[in-house]
Amino acid sequence: MGSISSLSRAVSALMTSQSALNTTAHNITNVDTKGYVRQQVIMSDSRYSTVGVSRNSGMQVGLGTDVQVIRQVRDRFLDSAFREENSRLGFYESKSTAIEEVENILGEIEGESFSKILNNLWESMSELAKSPEGLETRGTFIQNATVFVEKSNLIMQQLQDYQKNLNTEVMRNVDRINEIGQEIRNLNEVIAEKEVHGARANDYRDQRNLLVDELSEMVDVSYREDTHNNLIVSIENVPFVTVGHVNELELTEADNKSLLKDPYWPHLSSAGDEQKLYNLDIPTTTAANNDKGSLKGLILTRGSRTANYTDLSDPNFEKKIKPSEIMTVQAQFDKLVNGVVTMINNTLSPNTATNQLDIANAPYGLGEDPVQGVEIFSRVYMDRYYDVTDYNEEDPTNEYSLYSAGNLKMNEAVVLDYNKICLSKEEGFDGDSSVVEDLLAKWKKPFSNIDPSLNGDLNYVDYYNSFVSNVGTMGSSINNQVANQQLLTGQIDNQRSQLMGVASDEELSNMMKYQHAYNAASRVVSVVDDMIERVVNQTGLVGR
């Protein structure tokens, strides 16, 4: 019986070493596999057999060695820390990309800057003051005004297009989040089935953990594993992946009549009352620990609709507009455009307090039949006057009534005939400088500030400089956040890699160790086998 027991022990060592070799080979094979976590064989003593009793203790003989578990070398604390910081990194990276795009659109770093266009318009008015009757100076003024309108419309159009691109990214993120949810649910079922008898489906667990890492970049996630090895995942503290089910996100209007979309929870919503994924009424700050996920960064940056200059006077500006970089830039830029356009129009085509053409004070054009009330900048879909002299007022509820970037064009009458530019105080004169000097004086006067919360208004040039500086400050602040998050996330990921990653040198060393153990166990099996064979074959031969 002793020989048989020895053979059993040697075989257990042989099988354990073989399992360790297989695991080591599996690690080396997956050294470059994304998301793979190295596996480790944990060995333990098998049962002990009592063969007698001594004075101090029982006399026991070991029955060999067993593989207790093939475990993944993971650190749950590092996983949790990485996913939290990775989520915050995703949030600020999405905002940083948007600010960089806004800076490119404004063209202050490369291309034709808007500040140069603004300066050219000022210079053409200065030259016009010297020779208001000259067709050349009038033509230069109209040309620069045309460039101003075209650039203003282009910038607003590009901002709107980028808003739509961000909206597309939001929808793609929602689709991918739902896909990840379904993949995690499927992996839960596979893992639960394979581990029902105590085995470890480590490769499937790697896939599941990699999906959680990807999900953490897009949204704020929390998770736990139940007793049946199902991973239960929540997004923004709302159950997302449960046992055998995924509460998928759907899309709804970001704002009334808006083409932009926000994600919401259908299972928590009722008709007319969608439960959105994010409550944006709560300020997003690091202190509140809610600045997480690229999806939230995209939604905040994009905003809920296209903003215009009227939003700067909205009582809810701080709450509804300012959190969105795109909407803030749209409102602030449009305020400048509207200010320049209405100042020039109202000077050359003034209105009375009752919104009628101020015939008594309106300047005249040139020619045999001089006209009054001719504006330089027109709205695309609405004339300045109806019934000849009744002014079509700007209505904040009707975007087509606004002298707003994207809704502007040059008045064809003055483009085709420079004589219709109203620069004469009195009918029949060829023009005088007082009207243009009035324009130049108003250009230098304060008209608004870029933020309703700031004291003191700025003139047009100072306003634009402050506007560009504000965009740069936003970008610099967010870029600093990105740099800090990249450093912190990188440090945690390096710690994870050192712990969980496969090191070829270490695995080759383990392979040699387990190979020697396998050879030793094999040698024991051979020796015991020889002993048993000799005993069996030679027993009873003596004395025959």
Side-chain angles (χ1 to χ4, degrees):
M1 291 296 294
S3 297
I4 298 298
S5 297
S6 297
L7 182 62
S8 176
R9 295 185 196 99
V11 169
S12 72
L14 195 68
M15 295 176 65
T16 300
S17 299
Q18 181 64 60
S19 179
L21 281 170
N22 292 340
T23 301
T24 303
H26 188 58
N27 285 340
I28 294 174
T29 302
N30 290 280
V31 65
D32 293 323
T33 301
K34 184 178 180 181
Y36 180 80
V37 175
R38 70 185 177 97
Q39 299 177 17
Q40 187 179 61
V41 174
I42 304 299
M43 304 178 188
S44 63
D45 294 340
S46 188
R47 295 179 296 109
Y48 284 83
S49 175
T50 301
V51 296
V53 179
S54 68
R55 178 176 298 178
N56 296 322
S57 64
M59 299 172 63
Q60 295 181 315
V61 176
L63 300 181
T65 184
D66 290 329
V67 175
Q68 184 178 7
V69 67
I70 301 176
R71 70 171 186 175
Q72 291 178 302
V73 184
R74 298 194 73 97
D75 187 314
R76 293 183 180 179
F77 172 77
L78 287 177
D79 279 342
S80 177
F82 171 78
R83 287 162 183 166
E84 180 172 356
E85 299 307 329
N86 190 44
S87 186
R88 189 168 281 115
L89 175 61
F91 176 84
Y92 287 108
E93 280 185 334
S94 63
K95 295 177 81 68
S96 175
T97 302
I99 291 296
E100 183 178 347
E101 182 65 23
V102 168
E103 290 174 341
N104 291 335
I105 290 172
L106 293 177
E108 291 303 318
I109 300 175
E110 297 180 359
E112 186 179 21
S113 68
F114 193 78
S115 57
K116 182 179 179 180
I117 293 172
L118 206 61
N119 185 63
N120 288 343
L121 183 60
W122 157 261
E123 289 182 351
S124 65
M125 287 193 297
S126 298
E127 292 299 315
L128 189 61
K130 299 175 184 177
S131 178
E133 74 286 350
L135 292 180
E136 182 178 350
T137 53
R138 286 174 174 241
T140 302
F141 169 65
I142 293 300
Q143 289 173 6
N144 285 321
T146 301
V147 173
F148 173 82
V149 168
E150 290 176 348
K151 186 66 173 179
S152 298
N153 288 340
L154 177 62
I155 287 176
M156 185 59 76
Q157 184 61 53
Q158 288 178 324
L159 289 172
Q160 291 173 352
D161 289 344
Y162 187 60
Q163 230 177 356
K164 294 175 183 176
N165 291 341
L166 292 177
N167 189 60
T168 301
E169 285 298 310
V170 168
M171 293 189 289
R172 287 176 180 168
N173 271 242
V174 171
D175 288 341
R176 181 55 186 152
I177 288 169
N178 290 334
E179 288 176 2
I180 290 174
Q182 293 296 345
E183 291 175 21
I184 291 175
R185 182 189 67 82
N186 294 337
L187 286 169
N188 279 344
E189 294 177 354
V190 173
I191 292 169
E193 180 183 352
K194 291 187 176 298
E195 295 187 348
V196 67
H197 298 300
R200 295 286 290 179
N202 289 333
D203 288 349
Y204 290 109
R205 285 177 170 271
D206 286 342
Q207 294 178 35
R208 192 170 69 179
N209 278 302
L210 189 61
L211 289 170
V212 177
D213 284 349
E214 183 183 353
L215 189 63
S216 72
E217 182 181 354
M218 292 185 282
V219 289
D220 182 20
V221 299
S222 55
Y223 49 90
R224 64 179 177 85
E225 191 171 309
D226 68 8
T227 55
H228 299 290
N229 302 320
N230 293 294
L231 191 68
I232 310 302
V233 182
S234 295
I235 296 177
E236 295 290 327
N237 297 318
V238 175
F240 176 52
V241 180
T242 57
V243 179
H245 183 69
V246 179
N247 293 316
E248 292 192 348
L249 292 164
E250 292 185 8
L251 296 166
T252 186
E253 289 181 346
D255 202 352
N256 185 34
K257 297 182 180 180
S258 174
L259 297 176
L260 307 179
K261 302 295 182 182
D262 279 350
Y264 78 103
W265 296 108
H267 70 289
L268 299 178
S269 303
S270 57
D273 183 25
E274 288 91 359
Q275 181 67 39
K276 290 190 176 182
L277 176 61
Y278 298 111
N279 179 7
L280 299 181
D281 290 335
I282 301 174
T284 302
T285 62
T286 302
N289 199 33
N290 60 355
D291 54 340
K292 296 179 182 178
S294 60
L295 178 59
K296 187 173 188 179
L298 288 170
I299 292 172
L300 271 176
T301 302
R302 179 205 66 188
S304 59
R305 56 176 174 80
T306 299
N308 56 52
Y309 72 91
T310 63
D311 290 302
L312 282 183
S313 56
D314 190 328
N316 293 318
F317 175 82
E318 291 286 333
K319 186 176 180 181
K320 298 292 186 181
I321 308 300
K322 198 170 183 178
S324 166
E325 284 79 7
I326 299 295
M327 292 181 70
T328 299
V329 168
Q330 286 173 331
Q332 292 174 342
F333 176 75
D334 196 40
K335 183 66 176 181
L336 172 67
V337 173
N338 174 264
V340 172
V341 166
T342 54
M343 181 273 288
I344 293 176
N345 276 352
N346 291 341
T347 302
L348 304 186
S349 179
N351 298 317
T352 64
T354 57
N355 283 316
Q356 300 240 333
L357 174 63
D358 189 357
I359 297 176
N361 297 303
Y364 294 86
L366 304 182
E368 296 181 358
D369 187 18
V371 294
Q372 289 179 294
V374 180
E375 62 183 358
I376 301 296
F377 306 101
S378 298
R379 293 166 285 193
V380 175
Y381 301 105
M382 185 177 290
D383 294 331
R384 183 172 182 83
Y385 297 104
Y386 66 95
D387 292 338
V388 184
T389 61
D390 292 331
Y391 177 58
N392 280 313
E393 294 184 65
E394 293 182 84
D395 180 3
T397 64
N398 179 8
E399 60 184 283
Y400 300 113
S401 72
L402 303 178
Y403 284 96
S404 179
N407 191 43
L408 293 175
K409 66 176 182 178
M410 291 297 295
N411 187 350
E412 292 184 6
V414 297
V415 172
L416 297 175
D417 185 359
Y418 298 155
N419 286 329
K420 291 187 177 179
I421 304 175
C422 301
L423 296 177
S424 297
K425 279 288 188 182
E426 296 183 20
E427 183 178 0
F429 280 74
D430 288 340
D432 56 63
S433 61
S434 61
V435 176
V436 185
E437 287 173 353
D438 189 21
L439 284 175
L440 296 175
K442 290 178 179 177
W443 184 279
K444 296 179 180 179
K445 288 182 179 180
F447 86 104
S448 180
N449 209 318
I450 63 169
D451 193 313
S453 63
L454 299 177
N455 294 324
D457 290 340
L458 306 170
N459 62 35
Y460 299 106
V461 174
D462 291 341
Y463 179 97
Y464 186 72
N465 291 337
S466 181
F467 165 68
V468 172
S469 176
N470 185 58
V471 173
T473 300
M474 285 193 296
S476 177
S477 175
I478 292 173
N479 287 337
N480 289 336
Q481 289 276 14
V482 170
N484 292 336
Q485 282 304 126
Q486 286 176 335
L487 180 62
L488 181 57
T489 305
Q491 289 175 342
I492 297 173
D493 196 31
N494 286 336
Q495 293 179 43
R496 286 210 314 171
S497 298
Q498 291 173 6
L499 176 67
M500 302 186 302
V502 177
S504 299
D505 293 342
E506 182 181 352
E507 295 302 325
L508 289 173
S509 176
N510 287 338
M511 180 167 285
M512 294 174 62
K513 177 177 67 175
Y514 294 133
Q515 185 65 54
H516 286 312
Y518 182 88
N519 292 339
S522 178
R523 181 62 178 161
V524 172
V525 169
S526 298
V527 170
V528 174
D529 181 61
D530 288 344
M531 290 172 58
I532 293 174
E533 182 182 1
R534 182 174 293 275
V535 169
V536 170
N537 291 335
Q538 295 186 5
T539 298
L541 292 180
V542 178
R544 283 186 181 182

